Structure formats: C-alpha cells, structure tokens
Amino acid sequence: MNPEAVAEHREYLLRIAYRLLGSLDDAEEVVQEAALRAARPTTDVIREPRAWLTRIVTNLALDRLRSAPARREQYVGPWLPEPRVGDPWSPMSEDPGDEVARAEEVSLALLTVLESLSPAERAVFVLHEAFALPLAEVAAVVGRTEAATRQLAVRARRHVDDERPRFDADPSERARVVASFEAACVTGDLEALASVLDEGVLLRADGGGVVKALARPMAGRARVVATLGRTLAGLDDVTVDRRTVNGEPGLVVHHAGGVAVVALVVDGGRITQVDIVANPDKLRRVSRVKADRRPGSRSGGGCD
C-alpha cells in the first residue's frame, strides 16, 4: 500500500486505537505496526484503504485487549486510561474548547466504562457507535456474522448506558463547577471544596505503583474531602493549568513531586466523579506542555 494512504488516515486510525486501548502509546504502536504491514508487498487488490487499515488496527488492538486482563492483575491500584490533554479553557466561555475537537473526544469516564466490556463488545461499540460504521462492515472487521455482531452491539450499548456517568448538558455549567473546584484546591478551602462535590462523589486515583495514590476507589463526600485535604497539605510549589481532558474541562496540576491530570464528571451542578491520573508513565506527553502552564496562586497545596 502507498505510504501516503496510511498517512492520510493516521489520525482516524489513532482515534480508533485509543478508544479501544485507552493508551496513546499503545495506539501509536498499533498504528505503526499497521503501517508496516501495509508497506509489505502484496498481490491483493486493496480497493478501500481506510476500511482495510481499520480492520488491521482493530485486530491488532484486539490482540492487546485479550492480553490486558493478565497485565491489569499485576497493576498496583486502580487503572485509569491515559488522558488526552488539549487546549486551555475559560469558565467565561460559552463552550470551553473547540466544538469540533470536543466531538472527536471520548471522556475518561466513558473510556473506563469501556474497560468492563469484552474485547469483541468494545470493538463493536467503538466502531459502530463512535465511528458510525455499518454493522455489516463492523462484522467483517471483527470476523463475526452480522447477526452475532448485532447482538454484541446491543449488549455493549446496554452495559454502557447502565454504567456511564451522566454529564451536565451545558458546557458552561461544567466549566463553572470545575473552576470552583480548582479555586477550592488552590486556596485549600475544604468547605468550598465540599460545596461542589456530590454527596456520593467517587474518587479514583491511578499512581500505577510509581507514585503514592489510593489503593482502591473511594466514595462519599466527607471521605473524599478529607482525602483531598490531606493531599493538599502535602504538596509544594503547585501550579494549576486549565486544560481540556478528553474534550471536557479538566485540570493539569504541576507540583514539586511531579504532575497529575484531574478529570471531573459534573451532573446537576455538582461533581459526581473525580479521576486523577498521576502515573508518570501515562503523563509523558503532559509534561511536555508544562512550559505553557498558567501560573498558580498557591505554594504548598493543590489537587493531586
């Protein structure tokens, strides 16, 4: 296959691979391997390069997904997907972040829900629901009959609908709540922090055994405030950078010990879920934008 054909579809293929794997590094490796396969001489006539590459990338990703449970069993603490950190946002904006870019993203919370699907269900959901491929085409990609693929799609959709967190529909409202959360973290005001958290708020933190983090998810406003309060007191030289995280208003926190990305789910004017990715292996790309960060207003505290 012509290398230019692979380059033309590279971003599309990366988006598919990332949604399947939850890892930008793994997604890039899969797309690179697909490109190497495409460069091999072949007597086959490839009439639709994008469809052919989609099949290759999906099957390479499925191979990795099938080995993921064994790898995750050895993971220390909660596993969260690698976040995609985008442009800065403002709470004064009607729509924080570029609307087109946001439409191409998938929230960290939804990616985590997709982790609970079987590899085949996840592939069918991503290709059919996220990329609107017809079921007949998806069936050809995953090597199932169309009837079997339809059953996978129904099961996956039902599970995702049951498990995915609800979001406030108004982007400006989400941005306002996230800005209030940021202000409470920066000032160390635990009462203000409690006021923006839902009573049943869920906190998850992924340190990967590399940095100190929660051993398991934690639920409940009082417990989450107390935990974040202890963390706030233990950090030095903190700056907070408002950036979109997987298309939603989020925070990048730099401190003397490293960097963390905070993704928040807002519903009903309150934060219902706080996901913190602090594993440095998942944040190498985030560290590269550190020079662009917005100066923070507090030393000795932050949300990590």
Side-chain angles (χ1 to χ4, degrees):
M1 180 182 292
N2 191 318
E4 285 75 17
V6 178
E8 178 184 354
H9 302 297
R10 177 176 171 78
E11 289 304 316
Y12 172 82
L13 298 170
L14 280 171
R15 291 200 304 272
I16 288 177
Y18 173 63
R19 282 161 173 76
L20 288 172
L21 297 168
S23 165
L24 292 167
D25 283 341
D26 286 352
E28 288 185 346
E29 288 178 9
V30 160
V31 172
Q32 180 61 29
E33 187 172 346
L36 292 174
R37 291 193 182 189
R40 295 172 186 168
T42 179
T43 57
D44 296 336
V45 178
I46 301 173
R47 294 185 175 85
E48 297 182 16
R50 186 153 107 163
W52 186 85
L53 288 165
T54 297
R55 180 180 300 185
I56 297 301
V57 164
T58 300
N59 282 292
L60 288 171
L62 282 170
D63 288 342
R64 295 194 177 217
L65 285 174
R66 292 182 183 113
S67 67
R71 289 187 284 117
R72 299 282 165 77
E73 287 175 2
Q74 301 172 5
Y75 199 83
V76 178
W79 186 95
L80 292 173
E82 181 181 350
R84 283 177 62 99
V85 176
D87 295 332
W89 57 271
S90 167
M92 304 303 293
S93 171
E94 288 295 320
D95 186 2
D98 178 71
E99 185 176 353
V100 175
R102 279 166 42 83
E104 293 181 346
E105 293 286 4
V106 58
S107 72
L108 209 68
L110 177 55
L111 277 177
T112 306
V113 172
L114 295 185
E115 284 291 315
S116 60
L117 299 176
S118 72
E121 288 171 341
R122 184 164 182 166
V124 170
F125 181 88
V126 167
L127 295 175
H128 183 56
E129 298 286 345
F131 290 89
L133 270 63
L135 279 175
E137 188 173 338
V138 176
V141 170
V142 298
R144 305 285 182 104
T145 65
E146 188 170 346
T149 302
R150 182 174 291 105
Q151 290 180 340
L152 288 170
V154 169
R155 287 204 303 268
R157 165 52 64 187
R158 185 184 299 122
H159 181 83
V160 171
D161 286 345
D162 289 344
E163 298 296 329
R164 84 158 89 203
R166 293 183 302 170
F167 283 83
D168 270 337
D170 184 357
S172 60
E173 173 69 1
R174 293 200 298 272
R176 182 193 66 77
V177 174
V178 176
S180 297
F181 177 88
E182 175 201 17
C185 287
V186 168
T187 61
D189 187 339
L190 299 187
E191 288 188 10
L193 180 60
S195 72
V196 298
L197 298 179
D198 183 77
E199 184 177 354
V201 62
L202 175 69
L203 172 65
R204 298 182 298 189
D206 179 347
V210 181
V211 299
K212 186 177 179 180
L214 294 175
R216 59 187 62 85
M218 172 185 295
R221 178 192 292 148
R223 297 179 68 202
V224 169
V225 168
T227 298
L228 291 177
R230 288 193 296 271
T231 304
L232 288 165
L235 300 180
D236 295 310
D237 190 22
V238 176
T239 59
V240 182
D241 189 8
R242 290 177 184 163
R243 290 185 178 267
T244 57
V245 178
N246 289 67
E248 300 291 338
L251 303 171
V252 176
V253 180
H254 299 278
H255 56 92
V259 62
V261 170
V262 183
L264 302 164
V265 175
V266 179
D267 183 49
R270 294 287 186 275
I271 293 168
T272 59
Q273 188 166 308
V274 181
D275 286 330
I276 302 174
V277 181
N279 183 346
D281 293 338
K282 298 182 179 182
L283 301 177
R284 290 190 294 270
R285 292 171 178 79
V286 178
S287 298
R288 293 177 192 143
V289 303
K290 190 172 181 179
D292 300 328
R293 66 188 180 180
R294 179 175 55 84
S297 59
R298 183 172 185 261
S299 178
C303 252
D304 183 335

